[in-house]
Amino acid sequence: TPILQEAMPKPAKNICFTQFSLGSKTPKLGPIKVTDNPRGLALNLRVEFESDVKIEMQVGPGKLGVKDLLFSGQLVVRMEPLLDEVPVVGGILVYFLDPPKLDFDLTGAANVADIPGLRGTIHRVIDQQIANFLVLPNQISVPLGTEEQGVDPSLIKLPRPLGLLKVSVKSAKGLRAADINLIGKNTSDPYVIVSVAGEKF
């Protein structure tokens, strides 16, 4: 913890880590499915991490902590384009197709988050940040090849779409007639919200 404390930015220097352990359990990877496409290879693997993490911070007179972290999701690692020379692949892209599941327990003063409603709000905020960072169309991209090898770094960082998804609403039931009409029955003016990663349409 002294090394971690030293690395803290100045505004957070008053936060003292009294305990920092990632636990002894290791992540589980698999099953792994490898598929190929005209651009390269894709690895689809299940990631499960049930950690006995224990982190405790002293913030002023109170203590905040996190323990028993649970993380799981379907991770995709794409390697493209394939090269005939080192480094063999032009770049690596990593992302989740769907938002991964995340759960944890808060300790100390942070335990107030177990209050109904507040805990759900905290989870939504964290899930949103993960989606904005690592859920398709957001992804981590690492160019490995050079332009001399025919690798376009811009296509690694912003790859071409794999396809186009069209969503059509077929029907709806149980809609509340919230629009008041002076003549005739009340009607409903419904709409739908589609969520993709961190975006809503």
Side-chain angles (χ1 to χ4, degrees):
T1 53
I3 297 177
L4 185 62
Q5 190 66 39
E6 184 64 27
M8 293 288 286
K10 287 185 179 180
K13 286 293 185 181
N14 62 328
I15 299 177
C16 177
F17 285 89
T18 56
Q19 186 176 14
F20 191 95
S21 172
L22 295 179
S24 58
K25 297 181 180 179
T26 56
K28 296 179 181 179
L29 303 177
I32 300 176
K33 181 181 179 181
V34 180
T35 58
D36 60 347
N37 57 66
R39 302 178 193 174
L41 299 175
L43 277 69
N44 293 264
L45 64 151
R46 179 75 179 173
V47 178
E48 293 187 359
F49 187 33
E50 188 175 352
S51 172
D52 49 347
V53 58
K54 290 184 180 179
I55 301 174
E56 190 176 80
M57 300 173 288
Q58 183 77 39
V59 183
K63 288 185 177 182
L64 308 176
V66 178
K67 67 173 185 177
D68 299 333
L69 176 68
L70 177 61
F71 181 89
S72 63
Q74 194 72 24
L75 185 69
V76 177
V77 180
R78 283 169 47 195
M79 298 174 287
E80 56 186 55
L82 299 181
L83 306 175
D84 294 329
E85 56 185 342
V86 176
V88 184
V89 294
I92 297 177
L93 298 94
V94 181
Y95 54 84
F96 286 95
L97 289 174
D98 297 303
K101 294 182 180 179
L102 176 67
D103 198 9
F104 52 85
D105 286 331
L106 298 172
T107 61
N111 203 35
V112 297
D114 285 334
I115 297 175
L118 181 57
R119 183 177 181 84
T121 300
I122 292 175
H123 270 271
R124 281 193 297 272
V125 171
I126 295 176
D127 290 343
Q128 182 71 38
Q129 294 305 310
I130 294 176
N132 290 340
F133 179 62
L134 203 54
V135 178
L136 204 65
N138 305 306
Q139 57 194 341
I140 294 176
S141 57
V142 182
L144 299 177
T146 63
E147 293 187 23
E148 289 73 17
Q149 294 174 312
V151 178
D152 187 345
S154 63
L155 292 180
I156 300 297
K157 294 181 179 180
L158 295 172
R160 298 185 184 93
L162 297 176
L164 176 66
L165 175 65
K166 182 179 179 180
V167 179
S168 300
V169 180
K170 289 293 186 180
S171 63
K173 296 180 180 179
L175 298 177
R176 185 167 61 93
D179 294 342
I180 299 175
N181 292 325
L182 296 178
I183 301 176
K185 297 181 178 180
N186 294 344
T187 59
S188 178
D189 184 18
Y191 63 93
V192 296
I193 297 176
V194 179
S195 298
V196 179
E199 301 292 332
K200 289 186 177 181
F201 306 92

